[in-house]
Amino acid sequence: MTGRRWQRAVVIGGGICGLVAARVLADHFEEVVLVERDALPDGAGPRKGVPQARHVHGLLARGGGHLEELFPGLRDELLAAGAPLFDHGEMASTTVWAGRVPRVKVGVLAHAFSRDLLESSLRRRVAALPQVVIRDATPVEGLHWNAAATRVEGVVVHSETTGAEATEVLPADLVIDASGRFSPLPDWLEEAGYPRPRTTVVDAGLAYSTQVLEAPPQSYLGLQQMNSAPDNPRGTFVARVEGERWVVTLFGAGGDHPPKDADGWREFAGSLGNSDLDALLSSATSASGVHHFNRTENRRIEYARMSRWPDRLIALGDSACAFNPVFGQGMTVAVLEAAALGRVLTKHHGELAGVARLFQRRVAGIVRLPWLMSTSEDLVWHHYRQGRTRLPLPLRMSNWYKQRLVSLVVHDPHVFRTFLRVYHMLTPPTAMAAPRILAKALFRSAGPERQPAKNVRRV
Ligand SMILES: Cc1cc2nc3c(=O)[nH]c(=O)nc-3n(C[C@H](O)[C@H](O)[C@H](O)COP(=O)(O)OP(=O)(O)OC[C@H]3O[C@@H](n4cnc5c(N)ncnc54)[C@H](O)[C@@H]3O)c2cc1C
């Protein structure tokens, strides 16, 4: 707690990022208004504005640690709701193109829950903060500017209660855009006379299809089968979540998408040739339809590079940078950004001018490594999808090294442990090029030859 210095902050969007941002802002503002377009359910339940919530959502250990600091007791609350916490190396079944990885304890904890449960737990805790007001069923329609359009002074919301005009201005000292992957912020900036921000898109052409199943206990609590470019486009993520339900997400990159119908979904699952998955499916009954999602491209908006940036406006979470979900980074990056926002506000005693621009650069720094991790594999898909058959040399080299590491993971617990620590953002990716691992990757036999998967369409 720092003593509150400013009057009101408005957060656009009540997803994971908006909720965590509201929690942090409550330490610094007299009032925090979180404005959400959807009518919010009382407990954990689906809603239109976050269609991705139907699919497996793994929280990386780094994000889990920060969330627990911001919301003490959250981990126990999720456990009590039936969300299992387990050692990722020991209790998850992991398959890569080179084979099944032997299960070993790695000291990295994975917590499996539905995203609906996480969001509702965070929402309940945020709503209980005396500074926070949540206004749901209230779409934000635009920003409210000063006359010169150099500073954002609030938001314009669609309001059911204001009669004929049906809009209302919510004044604010600071506005946070946490409205997600499809944020209209680039349009709003352009309308106010700003240049359109440059957007970088790397698209692996990947889609998810997910079912919730009911099944008896298995030998594992989580399961992942990773795809690899360009020969093995298909993969799966499975998590046993609260209520003894299983969320089973099938995915395919390079346009090789899992079907939307139940029969096609089963057939796709069978094509993975994963005996652990087959065991689950053979004893399971479906508890949902098949949900499909294909807007999974990596999308980074270069707000920090704009020649002009309005004061008092910050874009966070997917609104600033959305990742291909297979790397499970989105929620963790959102939490890291919100935590960093708290530190920056603590540092800036009493003066908000200039903080937004400074912080937007901080956001760019936070997303830099996750972006590199996510796009280095996806650039391979991206190139093939654009009809290029020969990859640029740096990409060929990084892909070759990555494949050597993947083949080592199957035989070498040290490499597997390091890989999982990097995956969970507990260790920087450079650890995968530390001398001991580099030597193994360069000089040790790589094991089996790389084989394209059977029954899949090649890109
Ligand atoms: C298929 C899929 C699977 C994923 N799996 C993982 C995973 O395993 N691990 C992980 O960490 N991340 C995962 N992610 C990413 C993760 O969902 C997000 O990164 C994370 O939830 C943070 O998102 P956000 O809060 O910025 O945006 P969102 O969660 O999209 O929330 C945005 C909110 O803003 C609201 N909104 C939008 N426009 C307006 C408006 N005009 N006015 C008011 N409200 C508005 C929306 O209704 C929504 O509630 C996945 C994403 C996808 C697509």
Side-chain angles (χ1 to χ4, degrees):
M1 247 309 293
T2 51
R4 293 176 194 96
R5 303 183 202 102
W6 300 293
Q7 195 54 42
R8 182 195 269 166
V10 165
V11 179
I12 309 172
I16 305 295
C17 181
L19 288 165
V20 182
R23 157 67 192 84
V24 164
L25 293 167
D27 287 344
H28 301 274
F29 287 79
E30 291 294 331
E31 188 183 20
V32 180
V33 184
L34 189 149
V35 191
E36 166 56 46
R37 183 175 54 187
D38 282 353
L40 294 169
D42 281 339
R47 59 189 184 84
K48 202 166 150 239
V50 284
Q52 74 269 34
R54 306 271 192 178
H55 304 273
V56 159
H57 263 67
L59 179 63
L60 303 182
R62 175 114 185 257
H66 278 275
L67 264 188
E68 183 66 25
E69 273 170 31
L70 288 167
F71 299 92
L74 177 70
R75 188 170 283 153
D76 286 344
E77 182 185 324
L78 296 171
L79 263 170
L85 182 69
F86 55 91
D87 187 284
H88 193 154
E90 191 176 41
M91 286 309 293
S93 164
T94 301
T95 303
V96 293
W97 65 261
R100 176 82 47 82
V101 182
R103 279 160 60 175
V104 285
K105 202 168 194 144
V106 292
V108 177
L109 290 180
H111 206 162
F113 37 71
S114 66
R115 189 187 181 284
D116 287 346
L117 175 68
L118 177 66
E119 190 181 291
S120 78
S121 299
L122 295 179
R123 191 163 62 237
R124 196 181 46 73
R125 284 162 173 262
V126 167
L129 297 170
Q131 305 85 350
V132 176
V133 176
I134 297 183
R135 284 188 60 174
D136 69 342
T138 307
V140 173
E141 295 193 333
L143 299 170
H144 180 63
W145 297 86
N146 66 344
T150 52
R151 189 172 63 234
V152 170
E153 296 190 334
V155 296
V156 182
V157 300
H158 181 91
S159 167
E160 298 273 304
T161 54
T162 47
E165 279 296 309
T167 58
E168 174 193 348
V169 171
L170 271 182
D173 298 309
L174 182 67
V175 171
I176 305 289
D177 178 35
S179 66
R181 186 178 271 272
F182 307 110
S183 164
L185 185 56
D187 297 335
W188 291 344
L189 288 170
E190 211 174 13
E191 280 158 24
Y194 286 79
R196 197 166 181 87
R198 210 178 82 186
T199 300
T200 309
V201 175
V202 178
D203 188 0
L206 177 127
Y208 274 27
S209 281
T210 297
Q211 277 200 73
V212 178
L213 305 176
E214 273 161 17
Q218 303 291 312
S219 63
Y220 55 86
L221 290 163
L223 181 151
Q224 57 199 355
Q225 178 162 333
M226 303 306 294
N227 63 350
S228 72
D231 296 325
N232 297 278
R234 297 183 176 187
T236 180
F237 290 121
V238 178
R240 208 220 79 189
V241 297
E242 64 277 7
E244 313 243 324
R245 286 173 302 148
W246 296 80
V247 183
V248 182
T249 289
L250 307 177
F251 60 87
D256 183 22
H257 291 175
K260 302 174 189 175
D261 65 288
D263 290 342
W265 188 90
R266 278 275 173 152
E267 203 178 305
F268 189 100
S271 77
L272 295 173
N274 187 313
S275 54
D276 280 348
L277 177 65
D278 293 343
L280 172 76
L281 295 183
S282 66
S283 59
T285 52
S286 178
S288 78
V290 179
H291 294 281
H292 189 79
F293 194 94
N294 62 13
R295 292 297 308 277
T296 60
E297 69 276 9
N298 300 279
R299 172 179 294 275
R300 184 172 64 181
I301 306 185
E302 314 278 4
Y303 288 129
R305 290 178 176 226
M306 285 175 67
S307 53
R308 292 188 295 130
W309 180 253
D311 218 6
R312 314 279 179 114
L313 172 70
I314 286 172
L316 284 188
D318 283 15
S319 151
C321 185
F323 301 92
N324 173 346
V326 297
F327 302 96
Q329 298 168 313
M331 295 190 294
T332 291
V333 167
V335 173
L336 292 177
E337 290 170 355
L341 176 62
R343 288 194 295 277
V344 166
L345 290 175
T346 302
K347 209 168 146 202
H348 283 261
H349 297 285
E351 187 46 74
L352 269 178
V355 170
R357 173 146 210 157
L358 183 113
F359 187 70
Q360 212 58 54
R361 291 195 186 122
R362 183 73 62 89
V363 170
I366 292 170
V367 303
R368 199 169 53 85
L369 276 184
W371 175 264
L372 267 178
M373 278 173 70
S374 180
T375 56
S376 63
E377 170 94 7
D378 288 357
L379 273 170
V380 179
W381 294 114
H382 193 78
H383 276 273
Y384 281 110
R385 275 166 61 73
Q386 291 183 339
R388 293 178 223 162
T389 47
R390 195 163 169 77
L391 300 175
L393 184 64
L395 204 53
R396 276 210 308 279
M397 286 167 65
S398 70
N399 205 37
W400 177 85
Y401 188 69
K402 202 151 8 92
Q403 299 312 336
R404 296 286 298 188
L405 292 175
V406 169
S407 68
L408 281 174
V409 152
V410 180
H411 309 291
D412 190 322
H414 169 68
V415 179
F416 182 46
R417 192 172 291 121
T418 310
F419 169 80
L420 278 185
R421 288 189 60 77
V422 170
Y423 183 80
H424 279 267
M425 289 196 197
L426 298 170
T427 304
T430 45
M432 293 309 284
R436 196 171 150 199
I437 295 184
L438 187 70
K440 287 176 183 175
L442 293 181
F443 303 118
R444 199 195 266 182
S445 156
E449 270 296 298
R450 227 168 148 231
Q451 296 292 337
K454 297 185 189 78
N455 299 330
V456 296
R457 189 162 65 76
R458 297 285 301 279
V459 284

